[in-house]
Amino acid sequence: MVESFSQQVQFDDESHPSKFDDAVQTADSSLEKQLSRDIEQAFVLKLDEDLNRKKKQEYRGWVLIWLAFQSTGVIYGDIGTSPLYVYSSTFTSQPTYDDLVGALSIIIWTLTLMVTVKYMFIVLRADDDGEGGTFALYSLLARYANIVRRDPNIAGTVKMERYLTSEMKPAGKSIRSFIEHSRIAQTALKVIGVLGVSLVMADGVLTPAQSVLGAIQGISVVHPGISSGTIIGSSCAILVVLFAVQPFGIHKVASVWAPIVVIWLLFNLCCGVYNLVKFDYTVLKAFSPFFAGSYLVRNKEQGWRSLGGLLLAFTGVEALFADLGAFSRKAIQLSWLCLAYPCLLLAYVGQAAYISQDVTMVAYTNPFFNTVPPHTIYFSLIIAILAAIVASQAMITSSFQLLSQVMRMSYFPHIKTVNTSKRFHGQVYMPLANWLLMIGTVVVTAAYSNTTKLGNAYGVCVVFVTFLTTCMVSLVALIIWRINVLIVLFAFLVFACLDGVYLTSALTKVPQGAWFTLLLAVILSSIFILWRFGKEQQWSAEGEDRFQPSDLVIAKENGDLQMTATFGGSPVS
């Protein structure tokens, strides 16, 4: 269409008007407008055709199993290494048997409700064409409700899937209408989406330091005289190596990391079974939620404060959702339900069985290394260090995933992004982000120096993100899934209460070090929102210069073209 139009208009060196065929000679300004619309529509349809080629990837059979194996190496390093420090972060002295069983019961039901039920069966379904994370939830809502202003250059390529009003349930229809007409609601959703990204990325600075330090400190079990300087120096060196291998890409890195995490999880399972059989199988009664409730009732405020340590059992769950784009929902569900979940449950049960019979009363201070079977301390030290290194991969990968989403929505300047896999389009690497994360992680490791101090700063971001995710998924359930409002309200109250209890406990750590991650998240959020504000101002300025051809040129009765009065009214030659 553009080609035929250009063939109809011919300019020569002499000052003669252009000649058109008979159809164009009788055209007026309305034809010019229609022609412009046809050209734009053809362009948009072409872009839509290209956009639709990238569909949410679904895998089956051996490919799915291989992807699930790879996801183990990336996703579960963080949540999988929590047995290194959960009990030591929860108790400050040897716990009583009842308190130990109560804490174990809380861990069991938190992993069951928060991770398995909430994330595996609900949250992972709220993906934006295969992408996960709070910002993906915001982007998903933006496709089903008019709540964002888009870049006019690509607005036509966005697949809006907004339901008709008649197709909505009354509650969903009312909520959608409210957020579409309320600037405050739209701003709040924008802030929630951006804040969720910033909190995960702030966590990405702390996670490597927490996990690697936790493993290196295990050397003190074998060599009690090791200095803190040696521990910090070794941790920093390992972190530098970890970030240095990221350019190889998620596909290759995950293939190397996965066997390490699988061996780590299976070793934890074996240790759990060994301790459970040899020491105290009665701790199995912790599977009853009664003991979780009695623990909180019995210890009152102290029990509530201890939740700040127990929440470390599910740190990494936010990265699990953010890394969805690099793998797939089925792969993550398969690896969690068949491997990570049962291994972690038995790991915590076995540690509790050993601690309950510990006569030295120090096992809780280093729960993993003090509870491994005899003659396995060196193997456990090696596999723990390797697993702790891998633990950082979850947050590094999620940072890349989230940054790509943020850039796509014009909340951050485009930086170099490398697609590291020809088959899995969600696996990306960002050099600048990688090196900045490395610098931040090394600085944090040197500043905090041990896992107890880091534990105070750690965890607040995690539970903040889980709460924001609960809120966003509830909106998705009402507006996109169109689920009955009573069902959504019940699920929201259950999970929001769980998030709220953990969040209020975690906030008590703010003066002790958690202020750092919150401050970092606020700074990142400010950068994202400021860049978006600048882009919207740019679009407004560009919009003032954008006009239709009929605003520039008009056709006279004889078919000759001339400029409009605004541009002088001269004939076109």
Side-chain angles (χ1 to χ4, degrees), residues 146-426:
N146 295 314
I147 59 174
V148 298
R149 181 182 179 185
R150 301 187 184 278
D151 182 352
N153 297 313
I154 62 170
T157 68
V158 178
K159 293 173 58 180
M160 287 295 293
E161 302 180 38
R162 189 176 185 275
Y163 291 120
L164 298 175
T165 304
S166 59
E167 298 174 334
M168 299 284 293
K169 293 184 181 295
K173 180 169 59 179
S174 301
I175 292 175
R176 188 182 70 176
S177 176
F178 172 73
I179 63 175
E180 286 185 336
H181 295 90
S182 171
R183 292 294 299 273
I184 296 176
Q186 292 174 17
T187 302
L189 287 174
K190 178 193 297 185
V191 171
I192 289 174
V194 169
L195 185 60
V197 173
S198 303
L199 288 167
V200 173
M201 295 186 68
D203 234 11
V205 176
L206 282 184
T207 298
Q210 170 80 356
S211 56
V212 173
L213 265 178
I216 298 300
Q217 283 179 355
I219 298 176
S220 61
V221 176
V222 181
H223 299 288
I226 189 172
S227 66
S228 61
T230 303
I231 292 176
I232 295 171
S234 301
S235 299
C236 291
I238 290 173
L239 289 170
V240 170
V241 172
L242 172 68
F243 284 97
V245 301
Q246 295 305 313
F248 289 104
I250 298 173
H251 183 71
K252 294 180 180 178
V253 170
S255 298
V256 176
W257 290 165
I260 296 173
V261 178
V262 170
I263 293 173
W264 162 260
L265 290 172
L266 292 177
F267 181 69
N268 273 269
L269 182 144
C270 294
C271 291
V273 173
Y274 172 83
N275 290 322
L276 187 62
V277 172
K278 184 172 182 178
F279 294 102
D280 189 3
Y281 66 89
T282 63
V283 296
L284 287 174
K285 63 184 180 182
F287 278 90
S288 168
F290 168 79
F291 294 97
S294 64
Y295 171 83
L296 294 174
V297 172
R298 182 173 60 254
N299 291 283
K300 299 182 173 63
E301 182 182 349
Q302 192 59 39
W304 165 71
R305 288 182 178 274
S306 69
L307 292 176
L310 292 170
L311 69 84
L312 298 178
F314 65 91
T315 52
V317 69
E318 77 286 8
L320 179 150
F321 183 38
D323 288 338
L324 179 62
F327 302 102
S328 71
R329 174 170 56 86
K330 290 182 179 179
I332 294 174
Q333 289 175 334
L334 183 64
S335 57
W336 171 258
L337 295 173
C338 296
L339 180 66
Y341 181 49
C343 288
L344 288 175
L345 286 182
L346 281 170
Y348 289 115
V349 169
Q351 288 183 6
Y354 182 94
I355 294 172
S356 68
Q357 301 296 317
D358 178 37
V359 294
T360 63
M361 297 189 175
V362 295
Y364 76 93
T365 60
N366 207 330
F368 174 74
F369 293 105
N370 285 326
T371 61
V372 296
H375 311 300
T376 62
I377 184 64
Y378 288 102
F379 173 78
S380 65
L381 183 60
I382 293 171
I383 193 64
I385 292 175
L386 292 175
I389 295 171
V390 176
S392 310
Q393 188 64 51
M395 301 308 300
I396 296 172
T397 303
S398 64
S399 296
F400 297 157
Q401 298 294 320
L402 294 174
L403 264 181
S404 65
Q405 297 172 19
V406 168
M407 291 190 297
R408 197 178 305 128
M409 291 282 285
S410 301
Y411 279 83
F412 194 71
H414 284 265
I415 60 177
K416 182 179 180 180
T417 302
V418 181
N419 290 283
T420 58
S421 174
K422 294 181 179 180
R423 182 165 192 174
F424 309 117
H425 60 63

Side-chain angles (χ1 to χ4, degrees), residues 65-119:
I65 294 174
W66 175 250
L67 206 57
F69 176 71
Q70 281 192 325
S71 69
T72 305
V74 172
I75 294 176
Y76 302 119
D78 188 5
I79 195 171
T81 52
S82 293
L84 284 169
Y85 44 74
V86 169
Y87 285 120
S88 61
S89 300
T90 302
F91 300 112
T92 56
S93 60
Q94 174 69 14
T96 64
Y97 177 80
D98 289 339
D99 285 348
L100 187 63
V101 172
L104 175 61
S105 182
I106 291 175
I107 292 172
I108 290 172
W109 284 100
T110 297
L111 289 175
T112 301
L113 294 176
M114 292 284 283
V115 184
T116 306
V117 176
K118 177 181 169 182
Y119 272 86

